[in-house]
Amino acid sequence: MEQFITNGACHHSGRSHNTKSVVMGMDRSFPGRDAMSIYEEVEIEDLTYDAEELVYTYPCPCGDKFRITLEELWDGEDIAPCPSCTLRICVIFEEEDLPPLPDFESEDEEEDLTITKSMKSLAVGA
């Protein structure tokens, strides 16, 4: 049975995401944001972090995983979508608890990491 958060708040980095405003799939606290449903609020400690991929994941009831990147979290994003269904979770965290973003020496190094991740994704899917 799916449950949707209709009361409570996601707090991180001094900003509050008030889930009281998430009514019938609409997030009214962020004008211009697409309609969304918050399936669950999850503490970041409950997510699995992949230091190689720089991504946090959490199991979704559909069998896939909610995903949010470290960069997205550092940018203040707190909504992790599931790539296979419409569910989303709200990640509760404090910026000071996040691992630091890698300091790439060049854009080529960052591009190499992206290509490596893409190749691994293709290999896993094969």
Side-chain angles (χ1 to χ4, degrees):
M1 177 169 144
E2 292 181 1
Q3 63 179 5
F4 292 91
I5 302 298
T6 57
N7 196 357
C10 282
H11 299 282
H12 67 85
S13 64
R15 186 176 76 139
S16 173
H17 175 84
N18 186 352
T19 55
K20 286 183 181 178
S21 62
V22 180
V23 179
M24 298 184 63
M26 297 293 294
D27 183 344
R28 300 181 200 287
S29 62
F30 294 99
R33 210 179 217 196
D34 291 338
M36 67 174 68
S37 298
I38 304 299
Y39 173 71
E40 187 176 1
E41 290 179 339
V42 182
E43 296 281 341
I44 196 162
E45 295 83 18
D46 295 331
L47 278 71
T48 303
Y49 180 61
D50 183 333
E52 189 174 305
E53 298 273 334
L54 306 176
V55 68
Y56 283 88
T57 59
Y58 187 76
C60 181
C62 78
D64 204 343
K65 294 180 180 180
F66 297 100
R67 299 175 52 89
I68 191 164
T69 66
L70 180 60
E71 184 174 7
E72 289 170 327
L73 291 166
W74 273 108
D75 286 343
E77 182 62 49
D78 60 358
I79 304 299
C82 174
S84 296
C85 71
T86 60
L87 295 179
R88 301 168 191 265
I89 60 171
C90 182
V91 180
I92 302 168
F93 68 99
E94 297 292 330
E95 281 188 359
E96 59 265 12
D97 295 333
L98 294 176
L101 282 170
D103 189 21
F104 294 106
E105 292 181 17
S106 70
E107 288 182 23
D108 291 336
E109 189 176 335
E110 186 172 6
E111 186 175 312
D112 290 344
L113 178 64
T114 302
I115 291 169
T116 302
K117 287 180 190 177
S118 296
M119 291 174 64
K120 284 184 181 181
S121 294
L122 290 174
V124 170

